[in-house]
Amino acid sequence: MAKDKNRSKGQKETGKTQIAIQYQGSCPVKIEDAESGSKAFMPVELSDGWQMDVVKLDKGVIQDLKEGEEISDILFSVFQDKREVRITCLAELKGSGQEHKANKAVSQMEKTATYLTETEKYPFLSEYLAPNYMMAAIVGAPDKKIPKCTVQKDNNLCKWLFRMSKQQAHIKNMKGLLFYVQLNKEAKCCQLSGNTAPYTVSCHASNGKRIPVPQALEELLTRISKEGIIK
Protein backbone atom coordinates (compact mmCIF):
# COMPACT_ATOMS: atom_id res chain seq x y z
CA MET A 1 0.00 0.00 0.00
CA ALA A 2 1.16 3.60 0.33
CA LYS A 3 4.60 4.10 1.84
CA ASP A 4 6.78 6.91 3.20
CA LYS A 5 5.03 7.01 6.57
CA ASN A 6 7.38 9.67 7.94
CA ARG A 7 5.70 12.16 5.65
CA SER A 8 2.15 11.05 6.33
CA LYS A 9 -0.16 12.93 8.65
CA GLY A 10 -1.39 9.67 10.11
CA GLN A 11 -4.03 7.00 9.85
CA LYS A 12 -7.74 7.73 9.91
CA GLU A 13 -9.54 5.12 11.97
CA THR A 14 -13.02 4.10 13.02
CA GLY A 15 -12.83 1.91 16.08
CA LYS A 16 -10.21 -0.72 15.28
CA THR A 17 -10.67 -0.46 11.52
CA GLN A 18 -7.94 1.41 9.67
CA ILE A 19 -9.62 3.45 6.95
CA ALA A 20 -6.83 5.37 5.27
CA ILE A 21 -3.26 6.53 5.35
CA GLN A 22 -3.32 10.30 4.97
CA TYR A 23 -0.55 12.38 3.41
CA GLN A 24 -0.24 16.13 3.35
CA GLY A 25 2.18 18.83 2.27
CA SER A 26 4.78 18.35 -0.41
CA CYS A 27 5.88 14.71 -0.52
CA PRO A 28 6.22 11.62 -2.73
CA VAL A 29 3.59 8.89 -2.34
CA LYS A 30 3.90 5.42 -3.82
CA ILE A 31 0.45 3.88 -4.29
CA GLU A 32 0.82 0.12 -4.46
CA ASP A 33 -0.56 -3.14 -3.11
CA ALA A 34 2.44 -5.05 -1.83
CA GLU A 35 0.33 -7.88 -0.45
CA SER A 36 -0.96 -8.88 -3.89
CA GLY A 37 2.55 -9.27 -5.31
CA SER A 38 1.71 -7.01 -8.27
CA LYS A 39 4.59 -5.03 -9.71
CA ALA A 40 2.24 -2.21 -10.68
CA PHE A 41 2.40 1.02 -8.70
CA MET A 42 1.47 4.68 -9.05
CA PRO A 43 4.23 7.20 -8.20
CA VAL A 44 2.75 10.50 -7.07
CA GLU A 45 4.30 13.83 -6.11
CA LEU A 46 1.78 15.52 -3.83
CA SER A 47 1.80 19.31 -4.00
CA ASP A 48 2.13 21.59 -1.00
CA GLY A 49 -1.21 22.62 0.46
CA TRP A 50 -2.97 19.44 -0.66
CA GLN A 51 -3.82 16.22 1.16
CA MET A 52 -4.30 12.66 -0.04
CA ASP A 53 -6.07 9.73 1.61
CA VAL A 54 -5.07 6.28 0.34
CA VAL A 55 -7.58 3.54 1.19
CA LYS A 56 -6.99 -0.17 0.64
CA LEU A 57 -10.30 -1.69 -0.48
CA ASP A 58 -9.74 -5.31 -1.54
CA LYS A 59 -8.97 -7.33 1.60
CA GLY A 60 -8.80 -3.98 3.36
CA VAL A 61 -11.83 -2.05 4.55
CA ILE A 62 -14.12 -4.28 2.47
CA GLN A 63 -13.82 -7.76 3.94
CA ASP A 64 -17.12 -9.47 3.19
CA LEU A 65 -16.50 -10.43 -0.44
CA LYS A 66 -18.10 -13.53 -1.89
CA GLU A 67 -15.79 -16.42 -2.74
CA GLY A 68 -13.89 -15.65 -5.93
CA GLU A 69 -15.21 -12.08 -6.09
CA GLU A 70 -12.68 -9.35 -6.92
CA ILE A 71 -12.88 -5.60 -6.49
CA SER A 72 -10.54 -2.63 -7.00
CA ASP A 73 -7.29 -2.54 -5.05
CA ILE A 74 -7.13 1.07 -3.94
CA LEU A 75 -9.15 4.25 -3.61
CA PHE A 76 -7.35 7.54 -3.23
CA SER A 77 -8.84 10.97 -2.60
CA VAL A 78 -7.11 14.32 -3.11
CA PHE A 79 -8.47 17.40 -1.40
CA GLN A 80 -7.78 20.96 -0.32
CA ASP A 81 -10.15 22.19 2.38
CA LYS A 82 -9.95 25.91 1.74
CA ARG A 83 -11.12 25.42 -1.87
CA GLU A 84 -13.67 22.76 -0.94
CA VAL A 85 -12.26 20.57 -3.69
CA ARG A 86 -12.16 16.78 -3.69
CA ILE A 87 -11.12 14.43 -6.48
CA THR A 88 -11.59 10.74 -5.70
CA CYS A 89 -10.18 7.97 -7.86
CA LEU A 90 -10.47 4.18 -7.93
CA ALA A 91 -7.19 2.52 -8.90
CA GLU A 92 -6.71 -1.01 -10.19
CA LEU A 93 -3.08 -2.14 -10.33
CA LYS A 94 -2.52 -4.47 -13.30
CA GLY A 95 1.06 -5.63 -13.80
CA SER A 96 0.38 -7.25 -17.17
CA GLY A 97 0.13 -6.23 -20.80
CA GLN A 98 -2.62 -8.70 -21.62
CA GLU A 99 -5.81 -7.26 -23.08
CA HIS A 100 -8.18 -9.28 -20.91
CA LYS A 101 -6.51 -7.77 -17.84
CA ALA A 102 -7.71 -4.30 -18.80
CA ASN A 103 -11.26 -5.56 -19.28
CA LYS A 104 -11.05 -7.36 -15.94
CA ALA A 105 -9.92 -4.14 -14.24
CA VAL A 106 -13.05 -2.37 -15.44
CA SER A 107 -15.24 -5.24 -14.23
CA GLN A 108 -13.61 -5.04 -10.80
CA MET A 109 -14.24 -1.30 -10.63
CA GLU A 110 -17.89 -1.80 -11.54
CA LYS A 111 -18.21 -4.39 -8.77
CA THR A 112 -16.49 -2.01 -6.35
CA ALA A 113 -19.17 0.59 -7.06
CA THR A 114 -21.85 -1.72 -5.69
CA TYR A 115 -19.98 -1.96 -2.38
CA LEU A 116 -19.12 1.73 -2.12
CA THR A 117 -22.77 2.70 -2.41
CA GLU A 118 -23.73 0.47 0.56
CA THR A 119 -23.48 3.45 2.89
CA GLU A 120 -25.15 1.71 5.82
CA LYS A 121 -22.48 -1.00 5.81
CA TYR A 122 -19.54 1.29 5.07
CA PRO A 123 -20.49 4.71 6.48
CA PHE A 124 -16.83 5.71 6.86
CA LEU A 125 -16.45 5.69 3.06
CA SER A 126 -19.23 8.21 2.52
CA GLU A 127 -16.87 11.22 2.49
CA TYR A 128 -15.17 9.78 -0.60
CA LEU A 129 -18.46 9.43 -2.46
CA ALA A 130 -19.37 13.10 -2.59
CA PRO A 131 -16.45 14.45 -4.62
CA ASN A 132 -16.32 17.24 -7.15
CA TYR A 133 -15.04 14.63 -9.57
CA MET A 134 -14.96 10.82 -9.44
CA MET A 135 -12.35 9.13 -11.62
CA ALA A 136 -10.79 5.70 -12.19
CA ALA A 137 -7.26 4.61 -13.15
CA ILE A 138 -5.85 1.39 -14.57
CA VAL A 139 -2.21 1.28 -13.49
CA GLY A 140 0.51 -0.83 -15.10
CA ALA A 141 3.86 -2.24 -14.10
CA PRO A 142 7.15 -0.72 -15.36
CA ASP A 143 7.53 -1.07 -19.13
CA LYS A 144 4.42 -3.25 -19.46
CA LYS A 145 2.15 -1.76 -22.13
CA ILE A 146 -1.46 -1.61 -20.96
CA PRO A 147 -3.93 -2.32 -23.76
CA LYS A 148 -7.06 -0.23 -23.52
CA CYS A 149 -10.26 -2.14 -22.82
CA THR A 150 -13.06 -2.38 -25.33
CA VAL A 151 -15.32 0.65 -25.67
CA GLN A 152 -18.43 -1.30 -24.73
CA LYS A 153 -16.76 -2.61 -21.60
CA ASP A 154 -16.08 0.74 -19.95
CA ASN A 155 -19.36 2.53 -20.75
CA ASN A 156 -21.14 1.51 -17.55
CA LEU A 157 -18.15 2.42 -15.40
CA CYS A 158 -17.84 5.88 -16.98
CA LYS A 159 -21.57 6.48 -16.51
CA TRP A 160 -21.23 5.64 -12.82
CA LEU A 161 -18.21 7.94 -12.43
CA PHE A 162 -20.18 10.71 -14.13
CA ARG A 163 -23.20 10.24 -11.86
CA MET A 164 -21.01 10.34 -8.76
CA SER A 165 -19.31 13.60 -9.78
CA LYS A 166 -20.86 16.78 -8.39
CA GLN A 167 -19.50 18.83 -11.27
CA GLN A 168 -21.47 17.00 -13.96
CA ALA A 169 -22.30 20.28 -15.72
CA HIS A 170 -18.61 20.75 -16.55
CA ILE A 171 -17.98 17.23 -17.87
CA LYS A 172 -18.30 17.17 -21.65
CA ASN A 173 -16.76 13.75 -22.25
CA MET A 174 -17.29 11.27 -19.44
CA LYS A 175 -14.94 8.77 -21.15
CA GLY A 176 -12.06 10.88 -19.87
CA LEU A 177 -12.94 10.01 -16.26
CA LEU A 178 -11.24 6.64 -16.86
CA PHE A 179 -7.51 6.94 -17.55
CA TYR A 180 -4.40 4.76 -17.74
CA VAL A 181 -1.08 5.08 -15.94
CA GLN A 182 1.88 3.78 -17.97
CA LEU A 183 5.18 3.34 -16.13
CA ASN A 184 8.15 3.84 -18.44
CA LYS A 185 11.70 3.86 -17.13
CA GLU A 186 12.78 5.95 -20.11
CA ALA A 187 10.23 8.71 -19.49
CA LYS A 188 11.93 12.10 -19.30
CA CYS A 189 9.04 13.63 -17.39
CA CYS A 190 5.40 12.93 -16.57
CA GLN A 191 3.35 13.34 -19.74
CA LEU A 192 -0.33 13.13 -20.67
CA SER A 193 -0.75 11.45 -24.05
CA GLY A 194 -3.60 10.83 -26.45
CA ASN A 195 -5.84 13.15 -28.45
CA THR A 196 -9.08 11.53 -27.33
CA ALA A 197 -10.31 9.91 -24.13
CA PRO A 198 -9.42 7.68 -22.42
CA TYR A 199 -6.01 9.28 -21.88
CA THR A 200 -2.70 7.81 -20.73
CA VAL A 201 -0.40 9.31 -18.11
CA SER A 202 3.21 8.23 -18.75
CA CYS A 203 5.57 8.50 -15.79
CA HIS A 204 8.09 6.75 -13.56
CA ALA A 205 9.28 6.88 -9.96
CA SER A 206 12.34 9.10 -10.41
CA ASN A 207 12.34 12.77 -9.43
CA GLY A 208 10.62 14.87 -12.06
CA LYS A 209 8.93 11.80 -13.56
CA ARG A 210 6.30 11.19 -10.89
CA ILE A 211 2.68 12.23 -11.41
CA PRO A 212 2.21 15.75 -10.00
CA VAL A 213 -1.02 15.83 -8.00
CA PRO A 214 -3.37 17.59 -8.27
CA GLN A 215 -1.95 19.16 -11.46
CA ALA A 216 -2.10 15.99 -13.57
CA LEU A 217 -5.68 15.26 -12.51
CA GLU A 218 -6.65 18.87 -13.21
CA GLU A 219 -5.11 18.62 -16.68
CA LEU A 220 -7.14 15.48 -17.36
CA LEU A 221 -10.29 17.27 -16.23
CA THR A 222 -9.49 20.31 -18.36
CA ARG A 223 -9.52 18.10 -21.44
CA ILE A 224 -12.96 16.68 -20.71
CA SER A 225 -14.64 19.78 -19.32
CA LYS A 226 -16.62 22.49 -21.08
CA GLU A 227 -15.45 25.51 -19.13
CA GLY A 228 -12.16 24.66 -17.51
CA ILE A 229 -12.38 22.88 -14.20
CA ILE A 230 -12.37 23.49 -10.48
CA LYS A 231 -13.62 26.99 -9.72
Side-chain angles (χ1 to χ4, degrees):
M1 198 174 160
K3 290 186 175 180
D4 208 340
K5 293 183 179 179
N6 290 333
R7 294 178 180 265
S8 67
K9 181 179 180 181
Q11 298 176 350
K12 298 175 67 176
E13 299 183 354
T14 297
K16 296 182 179 179
T17 304
Q18 177 182 318
I19 298 173
I21 296 180
Q22 187 179 84
Y23 297 84
Q24 66 177 9
S26 178
C27 68
V29 180
K30 188 176 183 181
I31 299 175
E32 61 180 342
D33 187 7
E35 295 179 8
S36 69
S38 172
K39 294 181 180 179
F41 64 93
M42 188 170 177
V44 169
E45 188 69 38
L46 185 63
S47 295
D48 192 31
W50 286 79
Q51 298 182 55
M52 173 183 280
D53 282 359
V54 181
V55 183
K56 180 174 171 59
L57 298 174
D58 189 11
K59 300 180 181 65
V61 295
I62 298 178
Q63 295 280 345
D64 56 342
L65 298 177
K66 299 175 182 177
E67 185 175 353
E69 191 174 40
E70 296 180 274
I71 61 172
S72 298
D73 297 315
I74 302 291
L75 174 151
F76 66 90
S77 193
V78 186
F79 55 98
Q80 186 182 44
D81 291 338
K82 65 180 181 180
R83 290 173 63 189
E84 298 182 348
V85 171
R86 184 183 286 273
I87 303 171
T88 296
C89 185
L90 292 176
E92 181 58 34
L93 311 174
K94 290 296 182 190
S96 170
Q98 300 175 18
E99 184 175 352
H100 75 275
K101 292 288 188 179
N103 288 336
K104 183 178 180 181
V106 171
S107 295
Q108 288 175 243
M109 290 176 179
E110 290 177 350
K111 176 58 67 174
T112 304
T114 65
Y115 281 95
L116 293 181
T117 51
E118 293 181 2
T119 54
E120 292 184 1
K121 188 179 293 185
Y122 307 106
F124 43 82
L125 291 176
S126 61
E127 65 180 294
Y128 305 118
L129 296 179
N132 293 75
Y133 296 94
M134 188 83 183
M135 308 183 77
I138 300 177
V139 185
D143 300 321
K144 293 286 187 181
K145 185 176 181 180
I146 309 174
K148 295 183 178 180
C149 63
T150 60
V151 174
Q152 295 81 2
K153 190 69 180 175
D154 60 24
N155 275 344
N156 288 337
L157 174 62
C158 290
K159 288 178 181 177
W160 180 79
L161 295 169
F162 177 79
R163 288 196 303 269
M164 295 302 294
S165 298
K166 283 183 179 179
Q167 300 296 327
Q168 294 175 9
H170 294 297
I171 299 173
K172 184 176 181 180
N173 184 358
M174 67 180 183
K175 299 286 288 184
L177 295 172
L178 170 66
F179 64 98
Y180 294 77
V181 176
Q182 183 71 57
L183 290 164
N184 183 354
K185 293 179 181 177
E186 303 302 319
K188 295 181 179 180
C189 62
C190 178
Q191 291 183 318
L192 181 62
S193 62
N195 294 320
T196 58
Y199 300 102
T200 298
V201 179
S202 300
C203 61
H204 205 256
S206 302
N207 288 337
K209 301 179 183 179
R210 302 186 189 102
I211 301 173
V213 172
Q215 291 88 342
L217 298 179
E218 290 182 332
E219 174 60 25
L220 279 165
L221 292 169
T222 297
R223 293 194 180 196
I224 66 174
S225 297
K226 293 180 180 180
E227 304 172 8
I229 56 162
I230 302 166
K231 302 296 184 181

